[in-house]
Amino acid sequence: MKLYILIQQLLRRKFVQYFVLFFILISIIAVIASSFEEMATYKVLLFGITYVSSFIFLIEYTARIVSAPALYPGMKTAKARLKYTFSFYGFVDFVAVLPCVLTYAWDTEVVHVIILPYIFIIFKLIRHSRSFRIIGMALASVREELETAYTASFITICFSAILMYYIERNAQPEVFKNIG
């Protein structure tokens, strides 16, 4: 049996999923807690939690890239790994490891600024939740309708903004300096 198949089987085990889920939740809590002034004395601890979580996610991300050929058995190894890397979950996993990787390039204060995209880690919860996957399938089944609704909403908002600007610009020039 090939190594990437064994890794994929390991990644599918409940204890691995719960282990990763624990670090997803604890890192979300650490990021939220670090935004409170009252938690300033724990800033180093909270950053450490985020860093350790990111390291766990780095191991998981690497394992998922290595085991990608098991997900796409009809593809060549390199193509399967690229497909996973550029997939939605591949992007989410990449963003989740950024704090860990970036601390080697920049000091921790810069990493705290860059941590904003770290909110994507919440999307890692989707992989471990059956309910979210069902919602995702439901949304995928009405994709065209949603695209139409969002396009119509965008057009309506733009039309309203332009209309409001031309109606109000003379009455309130300090508020309506431009359409944006």
Side-chain angles (χ1 to χ4, degrees):
M1 185 175 278
K2 297 194 177 196
L3 178 63
Y4 58 80
I5 295 172
L6 292 172
I7 293 171
Q8 191 58 237
Q9 289 173 348
L10 179 67
L11 289 170
R12 289 183 180 154
R13 294 229 171 118
K14 286 287 184 199
F15 78 90
V16 173
Q17 292 179 354
Y18 286 131
F19 181 76
V20 172
L21 186 60
F22 169 76
F23 280 99
I24 292 169
L25 294 173
I26 199 167
S27 67
I28 291 170
I29 291 167
V31 168
I32 292 170
S34 69
S35 70
F36 290 92
E37 276 185 39
E38 297 83 10
M39 300 300 282
T41 55
Y42 304 105
K43 197 166 198 127
V44 173
L45 174 66
L46 294 171
F47 182 74
I49 290 170
T50 304
Y51 183 79
V52 169
S53 298
S54 295
F55 185 72
I56 297 297
F57 302 149
L58 179 62
I59 293 169
E60 179 202 16
Y61 182 54
T62 304
R64 289 193 184 280
I65 290 172
V66 169
S67 68
L71 287 175
Y72 310 107
M75 292 185 175
K76 293 186 177 190
T77 303
K79 192 169 185 173
R81 290 181 176 143
L82 280 173
K83 183 171 179 159
Y84 172 75
T85 303
F86 291 104
S87 70
F88 173 75
Y89 286 122
F91 175 74
V92 169
D93 288 342
F94 174 74
V95 172
V97 303
L98 278 178
C100 179
V101 174
L102 293 177
T103 54
Y104 292 110
W106 290 297
D107 65 1
T108 56
E109 289 304 315
V110 174
V111 174
H112 278 290
V113 172
I114 298 172
I115 211 164
L116 183 63
Y118 197 66
I119 59 173
F120 277 98
I121 197 169
I122 294 170
F123 289 112
K124 285 180 74 67
L125 288 171
I126 295 171
R127 177 185 289 136
H128 301 284
S129 171
R130 183 174 175 267
S131 301
F132 281 122
R133 287 193 302 270
I134 291 170
I135 290 170
M137 288 186 293
L139 290 174
S141 70
V142 293
R143 180 178 175 205
E144 289 181 22
E145 291 85 351
L146 288 172
E147 288 172 354
T148 303
Y150 285 131
T151 303
S153 297
F154 177 74
I155 292 168
T156 303
I157 289 169
C158 289
F159 178 77
S160 300
I162 293 167
L163 183 64
M164 186 63 82
Y165 171 74
Y166 282 110
I167 291 172
E168 295 290 333
R169 71 180 171 157
N170 292 331
Q172 300 180 55
E174 66 283 350
V175 177
F176 291 94
K177 294 177 185 172
N178 55 44
I179 295 173

